[in-house]
Amino acid sequence: MTSDFVWHFSMRKRKGAHKTMKSVLLIGLGRFGRHIAKKLNELDHEVLAIDRQERRVDAVLPYVTNAKIGDTTDIDFLRSLGIRNFDVCIVAIGDDFQSSLETTSFLKELGAKKVVSRAARDVQAKFLLRNGADEIVYPEKQLANWTAIRYTADHIFDYIELNADYAIFEVAVPRDWVGKSIGQLDIRNRYNINIMAVKQNGVLNMNITSDTQLREEETMLVLGDRKSVHKCFRI
């Protein structure tokens, strides 16, 4: 990668053109990597995308700031990218664990601020964490959990796993809660869960108080430990 691109990232940071904009190095442009690239584009982040295969690189060009064909197990190639200039490095390689492991290790060796690596199994996660990964994502496992929960409970509309114990659920308002306020229901004390927001026709309202009344046509975003949420909504 030319020094011009590294300079471009640095200048954008110094100028403060967009306070929430992140500079992201995305390595691995299979299906998972492409989805990440598209979402980062929607969020208006600057992305340098890397893959060994030209066709994969070409496929993400509409969604990234720049893209390059290269072998990230070559530390000299990685060094040329200016790794310290990126806010986060995402290793989305899914078809070659050895390459993922080496890339993760080299990124940390070169001073990466944050390395997020993809794993398919717990044993892979352990190796990646020992070799420089700051965080691990399990796309297949997380999607499997979401699918199992989403499609076995009629009143669950979405599900976001925060960690092994806590999650955010989008749920329908129970029939006997309709027309009552959050204060009347005393939800936090009775059920040990928190209503973070209500949503109607795709519009999210996060201005929640004890006087907020729940409506039949709404859904709720509920935060809590799994046992409490499952017990409350009979999941």
Side-chain angles (χ1 to χ4, degrees), residues 48-79:
L48 170 58
I50 306 291
D51 198 279
R52 291 178 178 177
Q53 298 185 32
E54 183 177 0
R55 62 178 180 82
R56 289 183 173 182
V57 172
D58 289 342
V60 301
L61 285 176
Y63 311 107
V64 299
T65 312
N66 210 332
K68 190 173 181 66
I69 304 167
D71 180 2
T72 55
T73 64
D74 181 347
I75 194 169
D76 291 327
F77 171 74
L78 281 179
R79 186 179 287 113

Side-chain angles (χ1 to χ4, degrees), residues 23-48:
S23 55
V24 181
L25 176 62
L26 174 59
I27 298 172
L29 302 176
R31 283 178 294 181
F32 181 54
R34 288 198 301 275
H35 284 300
I36 294 175
K38 290 178 181 179
K39 191 61 181 180
L40 290 171
N41 178 59
E42 290 177 16
L43 297 172
D44 198 29
H45 295 304
E46 289 193 329
V47 181
L48 170 58

